[in-house]
Amino acid sequence: MTHVRILFIAVTVISFTGAAFANDAGVATNKSAPVERVTRSTRPNVISLALGDQGIYYSINYDRALSKWVGVGGGFSVLPFLYQFPVYCNFYPVGSQKTALLLTLGFTVGFESYPIDSFSGPFHTRATLDGAFGVGFEYRSRFLLRLKANVFFPFSGPSLAFGTQLFVSPVWPGLFLGYAF
């Protein structure tokens, strides 16, 4: 009898999970419901949390698809002694509007302010500018998943992110998790 209950629960969970994935993919689960095709054109806006990427450790971003081939975005990141504002342009040369190869070109404006000798002493403050080029993969439904690898080019000399205080590899990964609307 317990095997029948377990089988019933498994079939119920699989049924609901399958319906949820089908609905997320833009497939109607009800014959009378209209089919919404989720693409960059139908959901051009994305709010996302990026781990790594141009915000070095994290950033909160807004993206807007301008066409099925091009999108722009920007964000912000706040760390102790460092404020960063990544700005980027995404190109989708290969793939569909739902899954695509992604090329990114952008820059990050940073503002550093850290103590020279101690936390009560004078502060060193300056602005930095770092360029970035990235290659990755994007999957977009109602939710966004983007995986990237970036190469950074410090334009303004050594910065807190690329200097001796915090070392960041010239190739830096990025993971975006977001919501498309």
Side-chain angles (χ1 to χ4, degrees):
M1 189 67 173
T2 59
H3 297 295
V4 173
R5 287 183 189 163
I6 292 172
L7 182 62
F8 176 75
I9 291 171
V11 168
T12 304
V13 168
I14 290 170
S15 298
F16 284 119
T17 306
F21 279 118
N23 195 19
D24 189 43
V27 176
T29 56
N30 183 351
K31 299 256 186 224
S32 63
V35 175
E36 178 192 6
R37 183 105 172 107
V38 180
T39 64
R40 280 190 296 278
S41 299
T42 59
R43 291 182 177 257
N45 303 299
V46 174
I47 294 199
S48 62
L49 170 67
L51 303 174
D53 204 59
Q54 286 180 241
I56 305 301
Y57 296 105
Y58 82 95
S59 63
I60 298 172
N61 301 297
Y62 169 77
D63 290 15
R64 171 80 179 168
L66 302 177
S67 72
K68 60 183 174 180
W69 307 109
V70 177
V72 295
F76 69 93
S77 173
V78 178
L79 296 169
F81 311 120
L82 180 62
Y83 304 94
Q84 294 181 314
F85 302 94
V87 178
Y88 48 89
C89 185
N90 296 327
F91 302 96
Y92 305 96
V94 177
S96 68
Q97 287 197 53
K98 194 168 184 93
T99 59
L101 173 70
L102 169 74
L103 301 175
T104 300
L105 188 60
F107 61 91
T108 301
V109 176
F111 298 98
E112 302 173 351
S113 181
Y114 56 92
I116 294 173
D117 293 326
S118 67
F119 284 101
S120 62
F123 278 75
H124 173 75
T125 304
R126 72 183 186 117
T128 62
L129 180 64
D130 302 313
F133 173 75
V135 176
F137 169 80
E138 178 178 296
Y139 170 79
R140 183 184 300 226
S141 65
R142 285 188 176 92
F143 298 98
L144 173 88
L145 172 66
R146 185 182 295 153
L147 301 167
K148 285 181 17 185
N150 297 293
V151 177
F152 289 100
F153 306 97
F155 292 131
S156 60
S159 65
L160 186 62
F162 292 101
T164 58
Q165 287 83 2
L166 296 173
F167 176 75
V168 175
S169 170
V171 177
W172 193 248
L175 169 67
F176 282 74
L177 301 171
Y179 178 73
F181 59 98

